[in-house]
Amino acid sequence: MRGNGATTEGLDAPTAIAGTSAAVVWQSAPGLISGVTLADGRISFKIAGPGNAVIAVKDGAILWSWHIWYPEAEVAGLNSKTGYEVMNMNLGAMHNTPGDVGSYGLLYQWGRKDPFPAAPTLTGTTATVGAPIYDGDDNEIKITNSSQSSTADNNLAFAIANPTVCLSNYAQFNTSRDWLQADMSNDALWGNPKGAERNETNDFLNKGAKSFYDPCPVGWRVPPADVFRNFTASGGYAWVIDDFDIADISGDGAKSLADYDYGWTFNLSDSASSYFPAAARFDGSYAMLMGSMSGLWGSYWGNAPYPGDMFQGGAYSVLSFQIKDTAGNEMITTSPAGGGARADAYSVRCIRE
């Protein structure tokens, strides 16, 4: 079947797939996946150890693909002050060890189910590319990008058939920040098309449900807009570290950059904290990994569209932070309620369904 979500508001019911073969699209290490077969409507495969992969059912072209995630650490949930059970690591991460690139996980354009690899190093330069990936024959392959001068391929059918192509919005950047053609933009892809609506006390009304484009594993889903509102004192942008709800990692009794280790360890509750690494992003205009920001910028998607005409093609970034600007100057900010371009590929921290 397509994905592991249900029929949700704004999306047609998923249809059955009648493929003729199955194959590895990419794997994070040579030999990770073997023995991929399709028989009686089921795909079988063997996995050699921890890592990430994407496998697909095909009829010549790819009809649908699935992310295979085998982390080194056990996936578990942590209760939060905002009432959600939050996964203890990023989607696609091997573990959640501060200051370790294995915590970065994978990156997703908003509304797409298929991931892109993050940087292979904690920090990088403008020439940094994603971690190496390999096809089913163990040949190294690359994440490519769609045309920057045309949006002809910026549609769902192309995205499904081409999980290793980052879809650029450069050709329509002035009118829409979506990876989909502006007139095809779909607020419902991750299951919460009305997720930006608020009541008279400014609380978010709709939490959404898991759609079949949701990239999280069975039993988990992309979070709604209010999941990390306790991470700053105001619930919005903060520029002062004292206003961040972070753990005292350094043990010096104060909140400072000494508590930053290529990411912040935020307090989910009075008894639980979790490390949120700065895994950078794929830039949606140039469709490339902005490797110079690895370790300095972190961005996390929510399931809701971002409201207002000022940000056409935007979605809620439920957590974004940085400690330096593009010139390398100190610029410390954190926001649990910002917006991002849907064409950008950010991290995802799932919540329990």
Side-chain angles (χ1 to χ4, degrees), residues 306-317:
Y306 198 76
D309 295 334
M310 292 295 291
F311 210 151
Q312 184 65 36
Y316 265 101
S317 175

Side-chain angles (χ1 to χ4, degrees), residues 146-147 150-159 167 179 181:
S146 64
S147 172
S150 168
T151 59
D153 292 330
N154 292 50
N155 56 73
L156 268 174
F158 184 89
L167 292 171
W179 56 269
Q181 293 174 24

Side-chain angles (χ1 to χ4, degrees), residues 222-311:
V222 178
D226 58 354
V227 62
F228 300 132
R229 298 305 292 274
N230 66 289
F231 284 3
T232 64
S234 68
Y237 275 98
W239 292 265
V240 180
I241 295 178
D242 275 344
D243 290 337
F244 304 171
D245 195 359
I246 55 174
D248 180 16
I249 299 303
S250 68
D252 63 1
K255 297 179 183 179
S256 72
L257 276 177
D259 299 313
Y260 187 87
D261 193 357
Y262 302 99
W264 293 109
T265 298
F266 287 99
N267 294 317
L268 288 171
S269 68
D270 293 335
S271 59
S273 60
S274 188
Y275 176 62
F276 287 78
R281 63 175 182 176
F282 266 81
D283 181 87
S285 298
Y286 298 102
M288 61 175 284
L289 182 68
M290 300 298 284
S292 61
M293 299 301 115
S294 299
L296 305 179
W297 284 17
S299 297
Y300 290 75
W301 278 132
N303 65 7
Y306 198 76
D309 295 334
M310 292 295 291
F311 210 151

Side-chain angles (χ1 to χ4, degrees), residues 78-94:
L78 300 168
N79 292 326
S80 70
K81 293 178 182 178
T82 51
Y84 300 100
E85 187 178 348
V86 178
M87 188 177 282
N88 62 342
M89 67 183 80
N90 282 1
L91 181 56
M94 291 297 97

Side-chain angles (χ1 to χ4, degrees), residues 105-118:
L106 301 173
L107 304 173
Y108 293 81
Q109 290 188 291
W110 189 90
R112 293 186 71 178
K113 61 185 177 60
D114 295 302
F116 302 129

Side-chain angles (χ1 to χ4, degrees), residues 326-348:
T326 55
N329 303 309
E330 184 176 288
M331 184 177 180
I332 300 172
T333 66
T334 289
S335 172
R342 297 183 193 183
D344 288 349
Y346 292 171
S347 303
V348 170

